[in-house]
Amino acid sequence: MKKLFSMVLIAALVFCMAACAGTTNEIQSVGAESSAQTESSSASMDTSAPTEEETAFPVEGSSNVEETSEMEAAEEKALVVYFSATGSTRSAAEELAALTGADLYEIVPEQPYTDEDLNYNDHSTRATAEQNDQSARPAIAGELPDPDGYSVIYVGYPIWWGDMPRILYTFFDAVDFSAKTIAPFCTSGGSGLSGTPAAIAALEPDAAVTDGLAVRSSDQLVQWLTEIGLAQ
């Protein structure tokens, strides 16, 4: 009888130990699962730096500061265009470029003008014939400037027979200055601008043409730049 009781007691102890072990394993399993869920949740909320793959595309709203600065610099650039047969307009153009930091472009005729061509007292000269012919368009030598890199175009010329030389008409017919600011200046013996800013506005209807200047001195250039809002 005692032997039978001992066997039953041993069996009961083995069963209890097995049950306890199962419970422990179940608790460890639940704990591991909970830990895995916590790590997964933490990973989804990770605020560390993105990987190289994640940065393959730019963030919306970001900008290239260097590229923007270069574009702004291009938009602010100016160009001084001039035609000068005797040198007077060239001097004014070079001084204006020095004041504004602008680039220079000279309109050079394919057939240069001689002193005889510019003889005001001879009504049969080449310049007289051109100025009396509204359709005259003297050819320009070399390449024309590309206005895309400029926002302001200063245009200088002498006054011939009360107008711009016809080669300026050639120039404006060939180059589109839409959305640009054109600031005209001239040199003359006394006739002033002779309505040439209005003529330029008609030739370049999509440009903004400022008040012009008949240059007499460098002081006038500084004052003019201030008046038209282009002083440096």
Side-chain angles (χ1 to χ4, degrees):
M1 185 69 180
K2 289 182 179 180
K3 186 177 181 179
L4 178 61
F5 178 78
S6 298
M7 291 179 64
V8 171
L9 181 61
I10 291 171
L13 289 172
V14 171
F15 177 81
C16 288
M17 290 175 65
C20 290
T23 302
T24 302
N25 289 338
E26 182 177 351
I27 292 173
Q28 290 176 346
S29 176
V30 171
E33 181 177 343
S34 175
S35 176
Q37 289 177 349
T38 301
E39 290 177 2
S40 175
S41 176
S42 298
S44 66
M45 296 175 63
D46 186 14
T47 57
S48 60
T51 64
E52 182 178 353
E53 181 178 356
E54 290 170 333
T55 57
F57 297 96
V59 178
E60 185 176 352
S62 65
S63 61
N64 188 319
V65 176
E66 182 178 352
E67 182 178 348
T68 301
S69 298
E70 290 177 355
M71 290 175 64
E72 289 176 350
E75 289 175 356
E76 294 172 356
K77 287 186 66 177
L79 174 67
V80 175
V81 174
Y82 71 95
F83 167 69
S84 184
T86 64
S88 296
T89 307
R90 178 180 294 108
S91 296
E94 290 174 347
E95 189 163 359
L96 180 59
L99 286 170
T100 60
D103 294 336
L104 270 173
Y105 173 84
E106 181 179 7
I107 299 174
V108 178
E110 279 191 358
Q111 181 184 350
Y113 290 90
T114 65
D115 291 340
E116 290 75 16
D117 292 334
L118 301 175
N119 186 351
Y120 287 90
N121 297 318
D122 184 351
H123 297 292
S124 65
T125 62
R126 171 189 170 194
T128 303
E130 288 176 354
Q131 293 304 107
N132 287 334
D133 180 3
Q134 293 188 0
S135 65
R137 296 292 185 272
I140 297 173
E143 294 184 4
L144 294 171
D146 182 358
D148 286 349
Y150 302 97
S151 60
V152 178
I153 314 296
Y154 299 96
V155 182
Y157 45 87
I159 296 296
W160 287 0
W161 289 261
D163 197 358
M164 297 183 295
R166 291 296 172 192
I167 198 167
L168 268 296
Y169 287 82
T170 305
F171 179 77
F172 285 118
D173 283 350
V175 184
D176 182 10
F177 289 115
S178 295
K180 308 297 182 182
T181 296
I182 299 176
F185 63 98
C186 75
T187 56
S188 72
S191 57
L193 287 160
S194 297
T196 51
I200 293 173
L203 292 166
E204 298 286 348
D206 295 320
V209 180
T210 71
D211 291 337
L213 173 69
V215 183
R216 298 282 187 273
S217 68
S218 57
D219 291 341
Q220 281 184 302
L221 286 172
V222 176
Q223 182 179 353
W224 174 60
L225 290 171
T226 300
E227 290 173 350
I228 62 177
L230 295 176
Q232 298 297 304

